[in-house]
């Protein structure tokens, strides 16, 4: 009697990655359907960090809302402050003194470097530099930036520094020398870091060709920031729709070719160099004068609506404000780049290995404070 | 016999005690075990401290420096913490296997030391020493798989699957590289291998050394080959569910294994207790620690490979390399009827050429899995 | 060529091995705080306060509560109650900026951990008796001769 061999049956299984997982960058959760090591389906789930910022903002005054924006992308609070303030100023037609514009640009670019350092460091951590070595090197440099921030406004993370009509206080004495020294040291660090990992074969093997985001798909999904530029699209709001004094500054927009994880990593490293260039120029041109046009504590924006956006480290950060002429906004809408960049996650992950999931997510550089708001 | 003789060769003490008790075999056994424990336990604590300190300094920070002078008591503090923690077992897991696995993980790593010769006499002169070590060393993966299965956790299972695949793949180059040594020395006994090394085998057979170290790193599952407990992907792999003392047994097993492999490298490639001056066994211990320092340095630097790349590396790079290596060594042994020391001058450039050539040819394959994205309803 | 990049990276980490640690041994070794450091304590000067309640209105979280009664003989208000729940405070400094009489300051104290939330509540007397370590935030003239932070690196 011949025995019929039963066909080998395999089934996909579900793995919950997050919300408590070492490398989902906050409380992000992915429900992975796995076929062995291969990802068959992904369901991104978020909302664990939802604090209702948009609604909270409607209950506070225009001035107080700056403190809420600190808590969106907490790694680049200065950019958030600036984006919100730009929207309010557009709404109310407030002119900003020249010195304040320069200070704002300095702060925004410093926070871009800080944010990119963190993004790259934690991305390499996701890749399995399991002893945190790259991350801690990054922290070291970020620490210097935070020192500069602390010196200026007294806080290291939630600054509440950029205000409607200017900035809250002038640069302290000793800031410019410290910043100049930082500008002198930082390129050496970036070069050293590049020698450390730029053509490390393991890194290349893990990154090149992984998580490829084609430009058309990126544009369709309205991805922005380094993730978009990694795909080769030359789109940077600092040049595409200049705000503040960016139209007067010279810098390049680094872009990638293949749109893979490696290109996004390279774009971030290169953007840090460009930010240093911008910083050098704005420090050089820093004028004297007033740092703030006085805005009353009971500031009322005229009725109307305004949308202002800027290139935050994560992408296009926009604030849409509607005012009914009262003390607080009538509607407060945030276009959070991390949230929108997450939209392509499912397309990127399907078909790759579990290990690539983490790396791809890391390369998109999401901040849950901004995604869930 | 002078005091110095006792220090130089601790086995003299054992012999003395054995004479005194009547030369029973179990006296030797017990004394050996005691000596091993006296070496192992402080070494393990030292290893943990060294590694943390190395990581600390690599990362431009201090590393542990609070508990005791220079933080030397940090591992002790960790041990106390771990022992006082609750030992939780998953409710739906296989309770027996779950408890058995940590003990089983620890055993083979320790058993390797039975065959490591600390000096000519301080060893069980096993004729099949190398064979024994390879056989015992590969038992560890069974415990890992047991732990992964018994935990009833998907991360654990993934880790265990990876562990099995990885260990099986890397065992081959490991064994083949050892074979080259056996060819050259003509013996499976580790004592003979050490005695053979007037010139350390590191210089005589650099290619073998490279293969062995890489494969051993993979066996130890240290970065860049630590996919079975890849913390950023599968949390902690096979020991995700372990806590308290059972976790620390796995942790200790890992370090014991690292110590054992360092000892093997020191014995087989760096000349063991040689140069035979001063206290010979101290030479070996220093060498073991040096090898471990290098391991820590590698671990502190590199990111991790992906599972398919890891397999590709084993099968497409290391395995052919090991075969080429055996071929070269066999030809040399046959042609020269031995393995004279001047061969180092030939073998180092040969190894460099072959390594560079292979590295140029090798690519980490990019496995593109069939993208079968299910449509969302 | 496989391997060259890895070797370069190993050399970089080896160089770091020889550097002086960047970290600070906190309780024994302390970095000088910057002048404008916003610590987690408010400083309220009872003699300057007029009880105008501007700070309470400026606060985004409603941390500060002020109650006053009229003091007719001196032609001013008497601040009966000045309370702040520092557990809710986010140290944004808006109250300090809002105060028209320079009666509110942020402190440079930061080691203010307590076991219970209630212990963070500050009443009128707590404010009066508190040690006052003024932060230069919003009042830069306060801190001319304090040690500078950014000399170390």
């Amino acid at each position: 009697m011949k025995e019929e061999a039963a066909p080998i049956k395999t089934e996909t299984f579900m793995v919950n990655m997050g919300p408590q997982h070492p490398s989902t960058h906050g409380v992000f959760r992915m429900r992975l359907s796995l076929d062995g090591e291969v990802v068959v389906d992904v369901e991104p789930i978020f909302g664990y960090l939802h604090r209702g910022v948009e609604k909270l903002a409607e209950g506070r005054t225009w001035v107080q809302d700056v403190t809420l924006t600190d808590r969106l992308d907490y790694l680049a609070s200065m950019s958030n402050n600036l984006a919100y303030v730009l929207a309010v100023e557009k709404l109310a037609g407030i002119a900003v003194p020249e010195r304040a514009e320069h200070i704002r640009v300095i702060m925004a670019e410093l926070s871009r470097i800080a944010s990119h350092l963190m993004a790259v460091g934690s991305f390499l951590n996701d890749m399995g530099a399991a002893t945190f070595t790259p991350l801690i090197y990054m922290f070291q440099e970020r620490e210097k930036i935070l020192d500069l921030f602390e010196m200026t406004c007294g806080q290291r993370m939630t600054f509440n520094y950029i205000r409607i009509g200017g900035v809250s206080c002038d640069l302290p004495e000793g800031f410019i020398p410290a910043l100049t020294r930082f500008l002198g040291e930082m390129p050496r660090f970036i070069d050293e870091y590049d020698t450390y990992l730029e053509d490390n074969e393991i890194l290349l093997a893990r990154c090149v060709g992984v998580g490829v985001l084609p430009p058309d798909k990126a544009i369709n999904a309205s991805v922005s920031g380094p993730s978009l530029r990694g795909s080769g699209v030359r789109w940077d709001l600092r040049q595409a729709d200049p705000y503040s004094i960016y139209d007067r500054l010279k810098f390049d927009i680094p872009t990638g070719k293949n749109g893979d994880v490696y290109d996004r990593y390279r774009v971030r490293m290169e953007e840090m160099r460009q930010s240093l260039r911008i910083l050098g120029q704005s420090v050089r041109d820093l004028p004297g004068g007033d740092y703030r046009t006085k805005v009353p504590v009971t500031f009322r924006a005229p009725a109307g609506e305004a949308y202002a956006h800027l290139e935050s480290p994560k992408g296009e950060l926009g604030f849409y404000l509607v005012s009914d002429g009262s003390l607080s906004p009538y509607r407060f809408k945030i276009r959070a780049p991390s949230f929108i960049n997450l939209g392509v996650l499912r397309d990127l992950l399907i078909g790759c290995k579990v290990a690539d999931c983490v790396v791809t997510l890391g390369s998109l550089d999401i901040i849950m404070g901004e995604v869930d708001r | 016999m002078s005091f110095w003789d006792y220090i130089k060769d601790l086995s003299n003490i054992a012999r003395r005690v054995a004479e005194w008790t009547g030369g029973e075999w179990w006296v030797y056994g017990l004394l050996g075990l005691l000596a091993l424990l006296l070496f192992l336990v402080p070494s393990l604590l030292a290893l943990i401290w060294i590694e943390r300190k190395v990581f600390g300094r690599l990362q431009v920070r201090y590393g542990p420096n609070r508990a005791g002078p220079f933080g030397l008591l940090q591992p002790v503090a960790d041990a106390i913490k771990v022992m006082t923690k609750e030992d939780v077992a998953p409710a739906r897991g296989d309770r027996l296997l779950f408890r058995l696995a940590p003990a089983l993980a620890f055993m083979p790593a320790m058993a390797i030391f039975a065959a490591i010769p600390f000096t000519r006499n301080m060893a069980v002169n096993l004729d099949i020493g190398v064979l024994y070590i390879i056989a015992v060393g590969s038992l560890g993966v069974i415990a890992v798989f047991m732990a992964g299965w018994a935990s009833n956790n998907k991360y654990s299972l993934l880790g265990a699957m990876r562990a099995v695949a990885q260990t099986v793949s890397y065992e081959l180059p490991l064994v083949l590289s050892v074979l080259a040594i056996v060819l050259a020395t003509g013996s499976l006994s580790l004592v003979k291998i050490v005695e053979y090394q007037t010139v350390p085998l590191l210089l005589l057979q650099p290619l073998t050394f490279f293969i062995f170290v890489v494969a051993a790193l993979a066996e130890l599952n240290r970065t860049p080959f630590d996919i079975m407990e890849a913390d950023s992907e599968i949390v902690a792999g096979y020991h995700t569910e372990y806590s308290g003392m059972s976790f620390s047994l796995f942790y200790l097993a890992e370090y014991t294994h690292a110590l054992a492999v360092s000892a093997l490298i020191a014995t087989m490639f760096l000349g063991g207790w040689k140069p035979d001056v001063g206290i010979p066994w101290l030479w070996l211990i220093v060498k073991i620690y040096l090898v471990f320092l290098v391991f820590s340095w590698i671990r502190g630097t590199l990111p991790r490979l992906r599972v398919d790349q890891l397999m590709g590396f084993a099968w497409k790079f290391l395995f052919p390399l090991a075969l080429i290596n055996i071929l070269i060594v066999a030809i040399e042994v046959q042609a020269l009827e031995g393995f004279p020391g001047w061969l180092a001058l030939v073998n180092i450039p040969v190894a460099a050429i072959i390594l560079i050539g292979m590295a140029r040819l090798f690519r980490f394959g990019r496995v593109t899995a069939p993208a079968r994205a299910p449509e969302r309803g | 060529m496989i391997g060259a990049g890895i070797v370069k990276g190993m050399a970089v980490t080896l160089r770091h091995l020889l550097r002086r640690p960047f970290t600070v041994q906190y309780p024994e070794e302390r970095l000088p705080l910057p002048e404008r450091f916003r610590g987690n304590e408010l400083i309220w000067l009872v003699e300057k306060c007029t009880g105008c309640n501007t700070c309470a209105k400026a606060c985004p979280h409603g941390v500060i509560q002020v109650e006053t009664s009229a003091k007719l003989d001196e032609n001013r208000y008497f601040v009966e109650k000045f309370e702040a729940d520092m557990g809710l405070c986010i140290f944004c400094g808006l109250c300090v900026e809002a105060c028209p009489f320079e009666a509110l300051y942020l402190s440079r104290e930061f080691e203010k951990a307590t076991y219970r939330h209630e212990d963070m509540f500050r009443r009128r007397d707590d404010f009066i008796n508190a040690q006052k370590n003024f932060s230069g935030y919003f009042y830069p003239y306060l801190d001319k001769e304090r040690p500078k932070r950014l000399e170390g690196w």
Side-chain angles (χ1 to χ4, degrees):
Chain A
M1 200 178 88
K2 206 178 135 198
E3 235 176 80
E4 285 282 322
I8 296 171
K9 210 177 89 202
T10 63
E11 50 184 71
T12 60
F13 71 108
M14 206 75 110
V15 169
N16 249 323
M17 215 176 232
Q20 291 170 20
H21 187 277
S23 57
T24 47
H25 295 233
V27 281
F28 181 56
R29 177 176 167 208
M30 291 187 281
R31 268 165 58 124
L32 303 174
S33 299
L34 297 181
D35 178 9
E37 286 268 344
V38 181
V39 177
V40 182
D41 196 9
V42 191
E43 192 188 343
I45 301 166
F46 32 75
Y48 293 96
L49 202 60
H50 180 66
R51 294 150 299 174
V53 168
E54 291 177 359
K55 194 69 195 168
L56 275 177
E58 290 167 19
R60 305 202 170 166
T61 66
W62 294 99
V63 179
Q64 288 169 357
D65 281 343
V66 180
T67 62
L68 284 174
T69 62
D70 278 335
R71 285 151 180 81
L72 296 173
D73 174 359
Y74 38 77
L75 293 181
S77 298
M78 288 288 187
S79 297
N80 302 345
N81 286 176
L82 183 53
Y84 167 71
V85 163
L86 281 177
V88 177
E89 281 162 4
K90 196 168 171 184
L91 188 61
I94 299 171
V96 180
E98 186 74 351
R99 184 173 173 84
E101 293 278 26
H102 277 81
I103 297 176
R104 284 176 176 191
V105 166
I106 290 173
M107 292 304 157
E109 291 307 318
L110 277 177
S111 71
R112 185 185 314 279
I113 296 175
S115 169
H116 280 354
L117 281 172
M118 197 54 204
V120 171
S122 59
F123 154 71
L124 286 158
N125 206 30
D126 291 347
M127 199 180 291
T131 51
F132 302 98
T133 310
L135 183 66
I136 287 178
Y137 290 173
M138 293 300 181
F139 265 138
Q140 225 188 93
E141 302 307 308
R142 182 167 169 261
E143 191 66 19
K144 296 174 184 172
I145 297 175
L146 294 190
D147 279 351
L148 289 171
F149 285 154
E150 195 183 13
M151 195 175 173
T152 316
C153 67
Q155 289 277 30
R156 301 167 70 79
M157 273 187 94
T158 48
F159 308 112
N160 187 24
Y161 178 61
I162 296 173
R163 299 295 173 75
I164 301 166
V167 293
S168 78
C169 36
D170 203 358
L171 294 176
E173 56 175 315
F175 179 86
I176 296 296
L179 178 62
T180 320
R181 189 161 72 235
F182 172 76
L183 291 182
E185 279 176 4
M186 191 61 188
R188 224 178 321 140
F189 167 75
I190 299 177
D191 288 344
E192 185 178 46
Y193 199 79
D194 273 348
T195 356
Y196 176 19
L197 282 169
E198 186 184 31
D199 30 66
N200 184 307
E201 283 74 12
I202 297 174
L203 182 120
L204 288 173
R206 287 297 302 276
C207 290
V208 177
V210 171
V212 179
L213 178 62
D216 52 337
K217 199 189 259 178
I219 292 170
N220 280 347
S222 107
V223 170
S224 54
S227 307
L228 176 68
R229 292 192 283 278
S231 300
V233 183
R234 208 168 166 283
W235 175 260
D236 188 322
L237 285 173
R238 287 175 292 174
Q239 286 188 356
D241 181 14
Y243 50 91
S244 200
I245 53 160
Y246 278 107
D247 44 354
R248 279 180 260 156
L249 299 168
K250 278 199 189 61
F251 60 98
D252 300 327
I253 301 175
T255 51
K257 283 197 193 74
N258 309 314
D260 54 11
V261 169
Y262 186 69
D263 279 351
R264 294 198 273 276
Y265 158 67
R266 290 302 317 154
V267 164
R268 291 211 171 86
M269 291 304 279
E270 202 48 52
E271 268 186 20
M272 281 194 245
R273 289 205 176 90
Q274 296 303 329
S275 287
L276 290 177
R277 261 180 83 188
I278 297 175
L279 280 171
Q281 293 171 44
S282 42
V283 170
R284 192 191 60 210
D285 300 340
L286 185 68
D290 208 3
Y291 61 91
R292 188 177 188 179
T293 34
K294 213 60 184 159
V295 169
V297 179
T298 52
F299 168 77
R300 285 165 204 270
E305 57 181 48
Y307 176 78
H309 54 188
L310 57 71
E311 187 71 24
S312 91
K314 312 287 186 294
E316 176 185 344
L317 174 65
F319 278 83
Y320 174 67
L321 302 174
V322 182
S323 167
D324 55 359
S326 68
L327 270 172
S328 45
Y330 178 77
R331 176 80 174 97
F332 185 93
K333 167 82 181 90
I334 306 160
R335 186 225 188 259
S338 295
F339 176 65
I340 288 163
N341 289 358
L342 262 186
V344 290
L345 186 69
R346 184 165 178 267
D347 292 336
L348 292 186
L349 293 191
I350 285 174
C352 71
K353 299 265 191 302
V354 184
D356 294 337
C357 269
V358 175
V359 174
T360 311
L361 182 67
S363 76
L364 284 179
D365 186 21
I366 56 161
I367 294 291
M368 289 320 279
E370 198 176 54
V371 174
D372 294 338
R373 302 200 284 286
Chain B
M1 259 206 218
S2 69
F3 176 70
W4 182 241
D5 286 329
Y6 285 111
I7 293 293
K8 263 176 89 167
D9 193 346
L10 295 178
S11 67
N12 285 336
I13 304 175
R15 216 159 287 128
R16 194 63 177 272
V17 175
E19 272 168 29
W20 178 54
T21 53
E24 302 280 344
W25 60 271
W26 51 266
V27 178
Y28 279 111
L30 277 183
L31 281 172
L33 197 61
L34 186 71
L36 202 57
L37 282 178
L38 277 180
F39 165 67
L40 257 186
V41 173
S43 283
L44 281 181
L45 298 182
L47 242 57
I48 293 169
W49 180 82
I50 287 175
E51 185 159 76
R52 291 185 60 175
K53 207 77 184 168
V54 168
F55 288 167
R57 295 315 301 265
L58 279 181
Q59 297 163 2
V60 208
R61 51 191 182 85
Y62 288 92
N65 64 352
R66 292 285 149 151
F70 307 106
L72 273 169
L73 294 179
Q74 188 64 43
V76 181
D78 286 349
I80 292 169
K81 181 199 81 173
V82 136
M83 277 189 272
T84 50
K85 279 199 160 184
E86 190 187 355
D87 207 339
V88 188
R92 301 254 185 97
D94 188 326
R95 199 56 76 89
L96 179 69
L97 289 186
F98 188 81
R99 290 285 174 229
L100 205 56
L104 220 61
F106 195 65
M107 247 154 49
M110 227 175 108
I112 291 180
F113 278 97
I116 304 270
F118 280 79
T119 68
R120 197 169 288 107
N121 297 322
M122 282 165 68
V124 185
N125 193 354
L126 268 183
D127 284 341
I128 51 156
V130 173
L131 199 62
Y132 166 82
I133 280 170
I134 288 165
V136 169
S138 53
L139 279 178
V141 71
I142 294 176
V144 168
F145 195 68
M146 242 159 120
W149 173 257
S151 297
N152 190 23
N153 177 318
K154 286 163 182 171
Y155 294 126
S156 302
L157 192 62
L158 266 177
M161 293 303 221
R162 286 175 172 195
V164 172
Q166 182 187 352
T167 316
V168 169
S169 307
Y170 278 88
E171 208 101 275
L172 274 165
L174 189 80
V175 175
L176 286 177
S177 70
V178 173
L179 195 60
I181 294 178
V182 173
L183 269 179
T185 56
S187 171
L188 281 168
S189 154
L190 279 169
V191 177
K192 291 244 176 65
I193 290 177
V194 175
E195 279 178 345
Y196 172 86
Q197 294 178 58
T198 37
V199 180
L201 272 169
L202 162 67
L203 299 176
L204 278 176
Q205 300 190 0
L207 206 52
T208 316
F209 176 73
F210 174 78
I211 299 164
F212 188 87
V213 168
V214 173
L217 274 177
E219 291 276 300
L220 287 176
N221 68 74
R222 296 167 80 76
T223 33
F225 305 105
D226 62 340
I227 53 159
M228 61 170 103
E229 50 189 50
D231 62 338
S232 61
E233 295 150 28
I234 49 172
V235 189
Y238 60 91
H239 56 58
T240 307
E241 288 289 346
Y242 282 88
S243 55
M245 203 55 211
S246 3
F247 164 75
S248 73
L249 269 180
F250 272 117
Y251 191 72
L252 283 180
E254 201 177 289
Y255 278 91
T256 321
H257 210 142
L259 191 67
V261 168
S262 310
L264 264 186
I265 290 173
T267 315
M268 293 207 293
F269 294 98
L270 303 178
W273 65 80
K274 286 181 177 181
D276 214 343
V277 287
I279 304 170
W281 48 271
L282 265 187
W283 279 105
L284 181 74
I285 290 177
V286 168
K287 283 174 187 172
I288 291 174
Y289 278 59
L290 278 179
V291 172
F292 186 78
L293 271 179
V294 174
F295 278 4
S296 300
W297 173 29
I298 293 174
R299 188 179 182 186
T301 306
L302 296 178
R304 169 191 315 126
L305 281 166
R306 203 169 55 202
V307 60
D308 54 310
Q309 292 162 345
L310 198 79
M311 296 306 195
F313 188 68
W315 290 102
K316 295 195 292 198
F317 185 81
L318 277 188
F319 186 61
L321 198 64
L323 288 179
I324 293 172
N325 181 39
I326 286 189
L327 187 70
I328 293 172
V329 173
I331 289 171
E332 282 169 351
V333 168
Q334 190 64 29
L336 303 168
E337 293 182 352
F339 217 73
W342 56 263
L343 257 184
L345 298 177
V346 181
N347 274 355
I348 291 172
V350 166
I353 289 165
I354 290 176
L355 265 181
I356 291 171
M358 285 286 284
R360 274 185 193 282
L361 286 177
F362 177 70
R363 294 278 174 280
F364 284 113
R366 251 155 244 144
V367 183
T368 38
R372 39 195 177 104
E375 284 308 313
R376 275 279 169 74
Chain C
M1 197 190 93
I2 302 277
I6 293 177
V7 173
K8 271 197 294 182
M10 301 275 288
V12 170
T13 45
L14 191 65
R15 272 204 301 281
H16 278 85
L17 193 66
L18 305 173
R19 283 185 197 168
R20 226 182 105 256
F22 188 81
T23 45
V24 173
Q25 297 294 302
Y26 161 60
E28 296 95 37
E29 204 183 326
R30 282 153 191 269
L31 294 170
L33 289 172
E35 300 150 30
R36 297 180 182 179
F37 178 72
R38 280 187 255 164
N40 35 12
E41 197 69 62
L42 269 180
I43 295 173
W44 175 63
L45 302 181
V46 62
E47 60 274 15
K48 284 191 185 172
C49 183
T50 58
C52 67
N53 213 20
T54 315
C55 51
K57 279 186 212 150
C59 180
H61 287 247
V63 171
I64 303 171
Q65 284 176 18
V66 186
E67 267 178 32
T68 51
S69 58
K71 237 184 170 182
L72 293 172
D73 48 338
E74 286 179 32
N75 194 20
R76 58 178 288 198
Y77 287 108
F78 174 70
V79 186
E80 280 184 358
K81 193 168 113 182
F82 188 91
E83 291 178 354
D85 186 353
M86 297 316 287
L88 291 180
C89 182
I90 57 169
F91 317 109
C92 61
L94 286 177
C95 52
V96 177
E97 287 170 43
C99 184
F101 300 101
E102 301 192 1
L104 262 183
Y105 299 84
L106 278 163
S107 149
R108 291 167 92 244
E109 299 289 324
F110 60 96
E111 289 153 319
K112 287 286 175 184
T114 59
Y115 282 99
R116 299 184 313 158
H117 191 183
E118 299 91 83
D119 294 344
M120 292 185 153
F121 202 84
R122 299 280 177 273
R123 289 184 180 75
R124 188 177 189 275
D125 292 342
D126 298 334
F127 277 114
I128 293 172
N129 300 329
Q131 218 188 353
K132 295 179 177 67
N133 181 4
F134 294 97
S135 159
Y137 178 72
F138 202 67
Y139 299 106
Y141 56 81
L142 274 178
D143 298 84
K144 284 295 177 206
E145 68 288 352
R146 287 223 180 99
K148 304 282 185 291
R149 165 86 172 266
L150 292 149
E151 248 120 66
W153 37 273

